[in-house]
Amino acid sequence: MKLSELKNGETAVIVRLSGHGGFRKRIMEMGFIRGEKVKSVLDSPMHDPVKYHIMGYDVSLRRAEAEMIEVLPEEEAKRELGPAPSFSCLSVCEECNGCACRNCTQRKVTTKKNNVINVALVGNPNSGKTSIFNAVAGENEHVGNYSGVTVDAKTGSFNYKGYRINITDLPGTYSIAAYSPEEIYVRRHLFDKMPDIIINSVVASNIERNLYLTTELIDMNLRTVVALNMYDELLASGAQINYEHLGAMIGIPVVPVIAKTGKGLDKLLDIVIELFEGRNSTIRHIHINYGNTIEGELAPLSEELHKADDLPYQFPVRYWALKLLEQDKEVTNQLQHCLALPHWQSIAAKSAKRVQQRLNIDVETAISDAKYGFINGALQETYTAGSKDTNKQTRRIDRLVANRWLGFPIFIFVMWVMFATVFQLGTYPQEWIEELFAFLGNQAATLLPQGLLQDLVVNGIIGGVGSVAVFIPQILILYLFISLMEDSGYMARAAFIMDRLMHKMGLHGKSFIPMLMGFGCNVPAIMATRTIESRSSRIITILVTPFMSCSARLPVLVLFAGAFFPNHAPLILISLYILGIIVAVLTARLLRSTRFKKDETPFVMELPPYRLPTLQATLRHMWDKCEQYIRKIGTTILIATIVIWFLSYFPRPAEGTQPGSDNYSSSYIGMMGRAIEPVMEPLGQNWRSSMAILTSIPAKELVVSTFGVLYSSDTEEGIEEDLKESGDFTPRSAAAFLVFILLFFPCIATIATIATETGSRWWAFFSIAYNTAVAWIAGYIVYLIGGIF
Ligand code: GDP
Ligand code: MG
């Protein structure tokens, strides 16, 4: 029977996995292994994907992928699989006799004598790494409750008991294999940077799957301490764990912590120092026993490796042997310089074949099975599951949120509340800021003598910066929502219910999260695509994200919608957002049907339990974004405003001519605007709006400040009135302008991010050309349609 045939509420036992290597490896590390019980919990509103419960947590899987997992009812499975493989759990490393010091097993590293400790945080997505990081380093790194908020490593430093501790928050991974970009990133970090100590955060309430990663750290013989995080959840479930005994068994100290409140973190740091000073009695270098067959193949391979003197010292010989046997892709990179590599690979390939023949499963499966066997053995003696069903609440909420009939309405309602609040509630503080800047302008005008300086300060700096600063409240509210959705766990549900639709675009439900974040800012959104394993899906998502109208475009849209469509402003805004989405969908389909024809990466996504967002984390996130925006105002926007003012003030008109807005037509800015005017004319644009499009390239908010400078009048009215009175725009050309700005590439920073994230300038260039062309064509069409009315 196939897993996909299981009905909601039914339970079965996994007996076999098929599908290609990457798929199998991926779902094995997520806990889908032979002999494991799995329950089908809930279909998403469109029936695909399905939420399954396995190893004490929830995961979302597409039907097509569930088809590759063969299951049987419990009784039958028992007969088919026989008794669970039992391993004499472990053995102490013979070479170092378990001492686990850095000098053992070829590690010719001199322990640093200074008092700087480099620590790396490693753990599953959502295991609380960032929470630990924030609690100890006090950084404003964002904390979120869905897989992949931490898309880049972040380092912080602090002093503790006479030591300077540098701590790096690495991306979350389920293992340190080489299938996803994060995994490769983590592995390279451990290899290249050689952190002194690893803090492995393990979710106490989901310990079995989380320890899988720990077994890899054991293989790597890194000096590790396990932070048994979310210990509060474990206690609440009534479970019991003898963590000291567990630590002694696996040769790694285990410290219970509650990162959210900071409890236990002192003890954790004490152990870090103990490990660094080499006076911890728990740490031992142990070997996980992979069973006779695999051990039998590992021995001769290790012997061969020992002969070489160019083997990297970072990891022990046994680790390299294991990875060679698994025919790991990354290892070929890391051992490239070894002369004997081809020789080893041919030995390993033969070994792998023999394992396959003898065990009737491939090496990777056999090793995963053994790892879980080891974990089970260790937990059997130290862990008692709780009797309280702590998952009940999450299940209840999910039944509502992912309900067949209610799922989408709830989702749309949440989105609507978000945008309505941003636009409605945001206008009040916006007016205060407007008044503040008007006041400042007046003060400056009275204090400074009339002339160049006054003009620069009043019209250039205060006017330009003020017109951008008024959007701070909107941005704060937007991030309040994004932050709440991430921290509560709703964001992952959004991906769950959207997967079927996203799949139709040729994307993953996971692409939905970056695209949604794109409404905030394209830069972090594009970086968030790192959670997407499939390269093609990832590139497509990166290229369509700029069509999501970011918060920097919001000021322009609000200004124009308010000025030229005063009675339908919200409708216009929503239509623009929807237009952006439609263009994104069409672009994705176009790319999927031309450049990227195939995609086979599995959609396995953890659905974390709902957690109450903490006020502190939410405020931190909001402040973080707000600070970024203010910094942008203080730097890029301020400089650009002054440049624009300069370009529009000079050259000065001859003495005697009437001052006025027409002076700009002879200024530098006018010349540049005029130069591109012919291109923009079919869209009903004049040189001023053409100029604004040019100035929007560094940042979209600059459109508003450009108009602020270009149309500033001495009247008390805002820029909105000035624009209307200028007579430069009709609703028709205003609509074309709105559409152009919406679809035009967002900013330099986004383009730079595209280049780094795709690893190719070509895609960055493509994005510029494609978005500009699409913007022009769509603007032209809107202008034509506008002509009909
Ligand atoms: P990361 O993905 O590993 O960086 O994990 P985060 O630090 O972003 O945390 C994921 C979620 O777990 C957030 O919603 C946190 O509020 C929550 N969390 C972190 N530590 C604890 C804890 O000790 N107890 C509980 N109950 N929740 C926690
Ligand atoms: Mg994180």
Side-chain angles (χ1 to χ4, degrees), residues 476-710:
L476 274 176
I477 300 171
L478 187 71
Y479 276 102
L480 169 70
F481 278 92
I482 290 183
S483 170
L484 288 179
M485 285 198 295
E486 281 178 351
D487 291 359
S488 63
Y490 185 69
M491 202 71 126
R493 271 64 184 191
F496 178 63
I497 64 174
M498 292 303 288
D499 182 63
R500 184 84 183 272
L501 276 181
M502 300 304 285
H503 197 42
K504 290 214 164 97
M505 288 169 66
L507 295 175
H508 282 173
K510 275 189 178 177
S511 305
F512 184 74
I513 293 166
M515 283 170 71
L516 193 64
M517 282 174 73
F519 288 128
C521 177
N522 284 191
V523 174
I526 288 171
M527 286 168 69
T529 60
R530 285 191 198 174
T531 47
I532 305 167
E533 288 93 9
S534 138
R535 182 160 168 83
S536 62
S537 279
R538 191 162 168 238
I539 290 184
I540 296 175
T541 311
I542 288 174
L543 293 175
V544 303
T545 299
F547 291 118
M548 302 291 110
S549 182
C550 67
S551 55
R553 273 174 276 198
L554 188 61
V556 190
L557 308 188
V558 170
L559 173 69
F560 268 68
F564 298 101
F565 306 94
N567 301 327
H568 307 287
L571 181 71
I572 294 284
L573 282 173
I574 292 198
S575 314
L576 284 166
Y577 276 93
I578 292 174
L579 175 68
I581 296 168
I582 291 172
V583 172
V585 172
L586 294 177
T587 303
R589 296 199 64 150
L590 185 75
L591 286 166
R592 192 45 99 193
S593 60
T594 52
R595 181 73 209 293
F596 303 104
K597 286 249 169 75
K598 222 164 72 196
D599 179 34
E600 6 169 78
T601 317
F603 177 74
V604 219
M605 184 182 64
E606 189 177 351
L607 296 169
Y610 287 100
R611 296 192 173 103
L612 214 57
T614 62
L615 184 68
Q616 202 189 6
T618 312
L619 291 180
R620 243 180 192 168
H621 188 197
M622 285 168 66
W623 168 241
D624 211 26
K625 295 296 164 193
C626 189
E627 195 194 321
Q628 273 172 26
Y629 190 72
I630 292 173
R631 201 172 290 146
K632 200 161 143 194
I633 294 176
T635 53
T636 325
I637 294 179
L638 182 64
I639 292 168
T641 324
I642 293 173
V643 170
I644 295 165
W645 174 85
F646 178 86
L647 291 174
S648 62
Y649 196 77
F650 295 103
R652 296 302 297 155
E655 290 287 329
T657 37
Q658 280 292 316
S661 161
D662 279 346
N663 289 352
Y664 292 124
S665 74
S666 57
S667 66
Y668 296 119
I669 206 172
M671 295 175 206
M672 290 162 84
R674 272 173 212 292
I676 62 158
E677 190 181 4
V679 184
M680 296 307 295
E681 211 184 330
L683 278 66
Q685 305 306 306
N686 60 14
W687 65 270
R688 287 192 187 87
S689 50
S690 306
M691 186 64 228
I693 285 164
L694 286 181
T695 58
S696 82
I697 291 174
K700 281 286 159 293
E701 302 96 325
L702 291 175
V703 171
V704 178
S705 47
T706 303
F707 284 133
V709 173
L710 284 177

Side-chain angles (χ1 to χ4, degrees), residues 126-131 143-145 229-230 232-233 258-260:
N126 265 316
S127 58
K129 295 175 300 301
T130 306
S131 302
V143 185
N145 188 20
N229 194 18
M230 310 195 193
D232 52 328
E233 287 186 355
I258 304 171
K260 216 156 74 166

Side-chain angles (χ1 to χ4, degrees), residues 437-451:
F437 275 89
F439 171 77
L440 288 177
N442 284 337
Q443 287 304 98
T446 47
L447 285 175
L448 296 167
Q450 200 153 15

Side-chain angles (χ1 to χ4, degrees), residues 129-130 142 149-150 169:
K129 295 175 300 301
T130 306
H142 170 228
V149 174
T150 309
D169 184 13

Side-chain angles (χ1 to χ4, degrees), residues 88-94 284-289 318:
S88 57
C89 270
L90 46 92
S91 62
V92 160
C93 172
E94 281 161 21
R284 281 184 309 152
H285 178 202
I286 59 157
H287 288 177
I288 293 169
N289 188 333
R318 184 179 160 87

